[in-house]
Amino acid sequence: MLIPIEGVLSKDEVRQFREQLAAAPWEDGLKTAGTLARAVKRNQQLADGSPLAVELGNRILRKLGNNPLFISAALPSRIYPPKFNRYADGGTYGAHVDSAVMQVPGSSVSVRSDLSATLFLAEPDEYDGGELEIEGPFGIQAAKLEAGDMVLYPSSSLHRVMPVTRGARIASFMWIQSMVQNDSSRTLLFDLDQAIQGMSGVVPPDDERLLKLTAVYHNLLRQWAQP
Ligand SMILES: O=C(O)CCC(=O)C(=O)O
Ligand SMILES: [Fe+2]
């Protein structure tokens, strides 16, 4: 399932990010492309571990840690340090699937990619093209969100970034290992949690039905979670 998460960064935060990224030392994205990706990847990225990528990445991680919708949807156990990319002048990333396990540079930690995320840092009217197209059970879905919004999608899905034919598409992207590896189990928990959240404004907090549903949520999570 493709899940949009609005307002991960405020417009003011996006403005600060963009100011810092405008002067960033962008590198050819081919540097980190695997054998298959080399044929389809045309973009720029910030080097992993560059001071700016680390600083901005940590700001994003702090925001995500306080975002109830993100926590509910991703149930994260580990997040690969956010990376940054830029597509301009026809830049594109053809159809590919992300690697299943990624070693965090400079550490012995690896992250299994259960979910992939793109956090848009340019407004849709700043560039033409650049849609993130994701193949799922109901066909292709395209995401081109407002700056500050993020889309989450299963890392198992084939996806591509359409050529950017005007302007520049700037984004952060990352991979998430979830406490609940199975996509459909995680989606069930997300739907249940959202339904419970929706009810809690309507019925009193000690409502028995609400307590029962909350217990079911936690007991399913207890069965399925690998923290
Ligand atoms: O730029 C994006 O939205 C996605 C990038 C991507 O798919 C990747 O780097 O693997
Ligand atoms: Fe990808």
Side-chain angles (χ1 to χ4, degrees):
M1 192 173 47
L2 186 155
I3 304 171
I5 301 179
E6 289 177 11
V8 168
L9 295 181
S10 69
K11 296 293 184 197
D12 197 44
E13 287 165 326
V14 169
R15 192 184 45 72
Q16 293 166 20
F17 273 56
R18 286 290 297 276
E19 269 172 26
Q20 290 188 266
L21 288 168
W26 293 103
E27 294 186 338
D28 192 328
L30 283 181
K31 265 194 162 176
T32 55
T35 323
L36 284 177
R38 291 195 78 78
V40 293
K41 189 176 181 186
R42 302 274 174 274
N43 71 356
Q44 295 175 299
Q45 290 182 183
L46 283 193
D48 280 332
S50 78
L52 184 59
V54 172
E55 180 196 330
L56 297 181
N58 283 336
R59 280 182 75 178
I60 293 171
L61 291 177
R62 279 198 297 276
K63 298 292 295 204
L64 290 175
N66 288 315
N67 187 310
L69 189 59
F70 171 77
I71 303 286
S72 173
L75 296 168
S77 67
R78 290 180 193 175
I79 304 181
Y80 191 95
K83 292 163 70 78
F84 295 83
N85 64 16
R86 181 177 184 275
Y87 302 76
D89 305 317
T92 181
Y93 197 164
H96 67 279
V97 173
D98 296 333
S99 302
V101 179
M102 288 181 240
Q103 173 116 24
V104 177
S107 85
S108 57
V109 175
S110 39
V111 175
R112 184 189 61 231
S113 56
D114 295 324
L115 288 161
S116 302
T118 293
L119 169 60
F120 290 81
L121 294 172
E123 296 294 354
D125 63 5
E126 290 183 70
Y127 57 97
D128 288 337
E131 296 82 1
L132 172 62
E133 288 194 349
I134 300 153
E135 287 188 22
F138 302 112
I140 294 178
Q141 284 182 283
K144 180 170 177 173
L145 305 184
E146 279 195 26
D149 295 355
M150 172 185 260
V151 63
L152 272 179
Y153 57 99
S155 301
S156 53
S157 29
L158 208 56
H159 56 280
R160 66 179 74 80
V161 178
M162 300 305 280
V164 171
T165 54
R166 176 188 64 87
R169 174 197 193 269
I170 295 162
S172 175
F173 62 105
M174 69 210 77
W175 296 284
I176 298 138
Q177 178 172 326
S178 177
M179 291 191 285
V180 178
Q181 180 178 5
N182 184 281
D183 193 53
S184 48
S185 306
R186 194 185 328 108
T187 303
L188 279 178
L189 286 169
F190 178 57
D191 287 345
L192 180 56
D193 189 41
Q194 292 306 297
I196 292 170
Q197 299 303 326
M199 275 178 70
S200 39
V202 182
V203 300
D206 60 351
D207 184 280
E208 255 188 49
R209 295 158 301 176
L210 188 59
L211 286 174
K212 270 237 158 78
L213 285 173
T214 306
V216 170
Y217 176 84
H218 285 285
N219 291 333
L220 283 174
L221 185 57
R222 204 182 323 278
Q223 283 195 25
W224 292 339
Q226 302 150 312

